[in-house]
Amino acid sequence: MKYKAVIFDLFGTLVDNFTSTNYENVLAEIADILKASRVEFRKLWKSSFNDRVTGVHGDQRESFINICRELKIKVSPEQVEQAFRIRMDFCRQTTIPRDGTVEVLASLRQDGYKIGLISDCTGEIPLVWDETPFANLFDVKIFSCAAGIKKPDPRIYRMATSQLGVKPEECLYVGDGSSNELTGALKMGMHPVRIRDPKDLDEERFMEREDDWTGPKISYLREVLKLVN
């Protein structure tokens, strides 16, 4: 067996990347609830990305409060909770597996591969995780908001391989290339492959990705089953 484990990214890999249009609409709705300028709220929200994705803010409630404080806006607990519910609903909508994804993961497990996840995400994803079809399919889950670090920090890959009980060179890493994750995995000695769904429109993507990646590439998750064999 060439690989002992397959480690996956989440967004753009197992689930569709949310589009910039949908994302901006949600931010606008939240800003309106908090009675904040859409432009100013959006600016501060995006600039706080690293803090949110590495867990500096306990959850998005804290993010909303911090931004409103910076904007000198008084918000009620009810406003914060309403904004948080909208954000949670958005996360539920964006963690729906792509067609065939659950079957591919189940097949890998049945064939004896250990399955890992490394996701740069904010605190809502762990909260909704057990509601998703992914809940029992992974041996190890590393969420950046809980780990306190994000890709391509070597420590987040090392955390996954250590918990899986495998060496980096025994791992296939599958991701869409956001956060320079493929280069980070390669530097760790893993075998990264870029996945890019042909239906994924570049003009609508939210995150910057490694478009200059020259390593292995696939279009559909089911191709992973060929790679491991």
Side-chain angles (χ1 to χ4, degrees), residues 86-102:
I86 290 171
R87 177 71 183 177
M88 287 290 287
D89 287 342
F90 178 70
C91 286
R92 291 186 179 96
Q93 295 164 14
T94 56
T95 50
I96 298 171
R98 284 176 166 169
D99 288 345
T101 294
V102 170

Side-chain angles (χ1 to χ4, degrees), residues 34-48:
L34 299 175
K35 306 300 182 185
S37 158
R38 290 182 176 184
V39 173
E40 292 301 318
F41 181 84
R42 175 183 180 275
K43 179 181 177 181
L44 291 176
W45 181 263
K46 292 193 173 183
S47 68
S48 69

Side-chain angles (χ1 to χ4, degrees), residues 1-6 107-114 166 169-171 191 227-229:
M1 187 179 288
K2 182 177 181 180
Y3 305 111
K4 292 184 178 179
V6 185
S107 179
L108 288 170
R109 287 179 64 88
Q110 185 175 351
D111 289 343
Y113 296 98
K114 295 182 178 180
V166 297
E169 57 267 28
E170 296 172 328
C171 296
H191 301 270
L227 293 176
V228 295
N229 291 322

Side-chain angles (χ1 to χ4, degrees), residues 30-74:
I30 290 173
D32 290 348
I33 288 170
L34 299 175
K35 306 300 182 185
S37 158
R38 290 182 176 184
V39 173
E40 292 301 318
F41 181 84
R42 175 183 180 275
K43 179 181 177 181
L44 291 176
W45 181 263
K46 292 193 173 183
S47 68
S48 69
F49 175 75
N50 283 339
D51 284 346
R52 290 185 290 106
V53 86
T54 54
V56 173
H57 297 174
D59 62 29
Q60 300 307 318
R61 296 182 184 88
E62 186 176 340
S63 298
F64 299 147
I65 292 170
N66 286 344
I67 289 173
C68 289
R69 184 182 297 122
E70 191 163 346
L71 293 174
K72 296 180 171 53
I73 297 171
K74 291 184 178 180

